[in-house]
Amino acid sequence: SLLEVTNMLPWIPDDMLPLIFAGLMGFTLLLYGLLDGLDLGVGVLLRRANIDDKHMMIASIGPFWDANETWLVLGIGLLLVGFPTAHGIILGELYIPVLVLLLGLILRGVAFDFRVKARANHQPLWNIAFYLGSLMACLAQGFMLGHFLTNFAHSWMAYGFSAFIGLCFVAGYALLGACWLILKTEGLLRQRAVHWARGALWLTAAGIAAISLATPLVSARMAERWFSLPNLYYLLPIPVVTTALVLMLDRVLASLVGNDSERYSWVPFTGVVALFCIASGGLAYSLFPYIIIDQLTIWDAASDPEALRVMLLGVIFVLPVILAYTAYMYRVFWGKAEPLLYR
């Protein structure tokens, strides 16, 4: 019975359950941004490559891209079952960009499979479709975050900010995808990836800076959390480390221009992952404990404790399986990408 299932987790206090679900949701969405973000970034960069490079770029993400979207499904599922009130409000306000996101992911998935089976003269069409699907997904995700951070304000300034964050998301995913290509490819494509990464770095940094400046302007509560003493001293390492990472990435990428050595090929990708993790951690600190800025806390929006306990049992079983599968998949297909062979 439902009562017997909920009694299997008696050691978790009721008021801790929404906190656990919020942490799990943030964790899964961060993993989605990192894992599927590199796929989206490679897709966005596909337009700039020649036909041979396109095959190699697709080969670099081929074993991973479909499974990476599992994290998006899990994150949205946790929002739905854990915080149904917030789910209704957020997806209601973001209906159009969510639709664009889904259309982009569908177009991207169809194009990925069809380009492998298409005749040579049809492949350019599916390459364009894969690029457009990736671009739509990137823009939609950035617009959704920008609109969420402006508290769903309906003004030209708010929409302009959301559109700018959408462009920065394209740059951020392109940066992640380019650094992945630096790690996975060799020769001229690797050098092109270094050039692409350098071009995307500063727009990515501008997006992080814009979000950091906008959040305290939107909410006096968030401004006080960051700039009141002694919080300011404790939190100062976050912008300092973020700035240092951006400068380090700029220097490392500059050192890789014309350099075919593999010695530091892992540094750009690791640095971008660290940059995204720190930026996401700072944003999570700003938002907590609200799931909708200054309107709805995670405790106000959460499902009943009994329901959360039942769903937590499922998450405890599913999450380690997905993590293990993801880690195994990346281990098996680690190393340099090999050319695709079409027969």
Side-chain angles (χ1 to χ4, degrees), residues 117-132:
K117 301 174 177 63
R119 296 179 185 272
N121 60 325
H122 292 160
Q123 271 194 8
L125 175 63
W126 293 113
N127 287 333
I128 293 173
F130 188 76
Y131 160 73
L132 290 176

Side-chain angles (χ1 to χ4, degrees), residues 190-191 194 198 248-261 264-265 267-268:
R190 183 173 183 265
Q191 285 302 309
V194 171
R198 296 186 72 191
M248 181 272 291
L249 283 168
D250 182 62
R251 292 291 299 273
V252 170
L253 290 170
S255 71
L256 292 177
V257 175
N259 182 359
D260 292 329
S261 172
Y264 297 110
S265 61
V267 176

Side-chain angles (χ1 to χ4, degrees), residues 185-269:
T185 63
E186 299 174 309
L188 290 177
L189 177 55
R190 183 173 183 265
Q191 285 302 309
R192 292 189 183 103
V194 171
H195 174 73
W196 296 335
R198 296 186 72 191
L201 175 62
W202 292 103
L203 184 54
T204 303
I208 295 173
I211 292 173
S212 301
L213 293 173
T215 46
L217 294 177
V218 170
S219 169
R221 177 192 62 83
M222 287 193 283
E224 183 178 358
R225 293 196 77 183
W226 277 94
F227 299 112
S228 63
L229 297 178
N231 288 3
L232 179 62
Y233 300 134
Y234 299 147
L235 298 173
L236 189 60
I238 295 178
V240 170
V241 172
T242 301
T243 303
L245 277 172
V246 171
L247 295 176
M248 181 272 291
L249 283 168
D250 182 62
R251 292 291 299 273
V252 170
L253 290 170
S255 71
L256 292 177
V257 175
N259 182 359
D260 292 329
S261 172
E262 295 292 335
R263 184 176 181 183
Y264 297 110
S265 61
W266 59 272
V267 176
F269 185 75

Side-chain angles (χ1 to χ4, degrees), residues 35 39 61-71 180 184 322-334:
L35 298 178
D39 300 339
I61 62 173
F64 315 107
W65 75 276
D66 201 12
N68 289 340
E69 293 180 357
T70 305
W71 295 104
W180 174 254
K184 296 287 287 184
I322 300 176
L323 282 171
Y325 167 74
T326 301
Y328 178 74
M329 178 179 59
Y330 276 87
R331 185 184 184 282
V332 168
F333 294 102
W334 196 248

Side-chain angles (χ1 to χ4, degrees), residues 6 45 67 85 96 114 151 170-171 176 185 187 312-313 315 331-332:
T6 57
L45 294 171
T85 304
I96 298 300
F114 273 53
N151 223 354
V170 175
L176 189 61
T185 63
L312 185 57
L313 283 173
V315 174
R331 185 184 184 282
V332 168

Side-chain angles (χ1 to χ4, degrees), residues 42-43 45-61 115 123 127 130 181 184-193 196 337-340 342:
V42 171
L45 294 171
L46 203 67
R47 182 180 61 88
R48 305 185 184 186
N50 60 41
I51 187 63
D52 292 330
D53 287 347
K54 284 181 171 66
H55 292 329
M56 187 65 76
M57 292 166 71
I58 293 296
S60 74
I61 62 173
R115 74 177 300 279
Q123 271 194 8
N127 287 333
F130 188 76
L181 292 174
K184 296 287 287 184
T185 63
E186 299 174 309
L188 290 177
L189 177 55
R190 183 173 183 265
Q191 285 302 309
R192 292 189 183 103
W196 296 335
E338 297 180 357
L340 290 175
Y342 295 96

